[in-house]
Amino acid sequence: MEEPQRARSHTVTTTASSFAENFSTSSSSFAYDREFLRTLPGLLIVAEIVLGLLVWTLIAGTEYFRVPAFGWVMFVAVFYWVLTVFFLIIYITMTYTRIPQVPWTTVGLCFNGSAFVLYLSAAVVDASSVSPERDSHNFNSWAASSFFAFLVTICYAGNTYFSFIAWRSRTI
């Protein structure tokens, strides 16, 4: 004897089709904020990425492991470079508008403030660890990385200021 086929549940079909409709609607509303890169905080973030990349590539291209202090500089430079790229993507794609549970002004203030403090310490360590050697390649690269580390520190200080202004206007 053959069992009769069971009727398919319409709930599954409806749920699947409504999921497809919601997914297509949400992916078509992908936001891209081109104007952010024209603001001063946006330009500072781009400068942080470019200059931070210079800091760690100038050190990574040398025998930096002979000077233990450069390990700290590399950690700070690479860590904040990756996080800054992450934040740039969040700001350009306006992801912060889709996750309102996160206090983005506070997160931005904490991120930029910590980046400023740690990059300042890394820049001082970088500058104090540069010593002339017989191999001028290491000296030139380390000196240049020190210069760019101070420039990145200034950029993070600027973004800390703008983050503080945004945070303060949210809390008042």
Side-chain angles (χ1 to χ4, degrees):
M1 261 185 157
E2 204 172 292
E3 286 186 35
Q5 284 187 331
R6 292 184 183 176
R8 292 190 177 185
S9 171
H10 293 290
T11 308
V12 173
T13 307
T14 308
T15 305
S17 63
S18 64
F19 172 76
E21 289 171 11
N22 288 338
F23 182 74
S24 65
T25 304
S26 66
S27 63
S28 64
S29 66
F30 179 72
Y32 174 71
D33 186 12
R34 288 185 216 129
E35 294 301 315
F36 176 73
L37 293 176
R38 294 183 182 162
T39 65
L40 196 51
L43 292 172
L44 285 172
I45 287 177
V46 170
E48 291 162 1
I49 290 170
V50 170
L51 297 172
L53 180 67
L54 283 171
V55 170
W56 66 264
T57 55
L58 283 167
I59 294 175
T62 65
E63 297 171 354
Y64 70 92
F65 50 85
R66 290 192 286 147
V67 182
F70 287 126
W72 170 248
V73 178
M74 285 291 290
F75 170 75
V76 170
V78 173
F79 180 75
Y80 279 106
W81 184 81
V82 169
L83 287 179
T84 303
V85 169
F86 175 71
F87 273 104
L88 179 64
I89 292 169
I90 285 176
Y91 290 138
I92 286 180
T93 60
M94 298 177 66
T95 303
Y96 59 89
T97 61
R98 294 177 181 224
I99 312 172
Q101 300 85 357
V102 176
W104 288 106
T105 53
T106 305
V107 169
L109 178 62
C110 292
F111 170 73
N112 287 313
S114 68
F116 167 67
V117 169
L118 293 180
Y119 238 110
L120 180 62
S121 73
V124 169
V125 166
D126 194 358
S128 64
S129 299
V130 175
S131 61
E133 296 181 349
R134 283 183 257 140
D135 181 15
S136 65
H137 170 72
N138 283 347
F139 174 77
N140 291 337
S141 293
W142 293 342
S145 73
S146 176
F147 173 75
F148 289 121
F150 279 106
L151 289 181
V152 175
T153 302
I154 292 168
C155 291
Y156 278 116
N159 257 341
T160 301
Y161 172 75
F162 289 121
S163 294
F164 177 73
I165 298 289
W167 175 80
R168 189 169 171 201
S169 69
R170 284 285 196 154
T171 58
I172 292 177

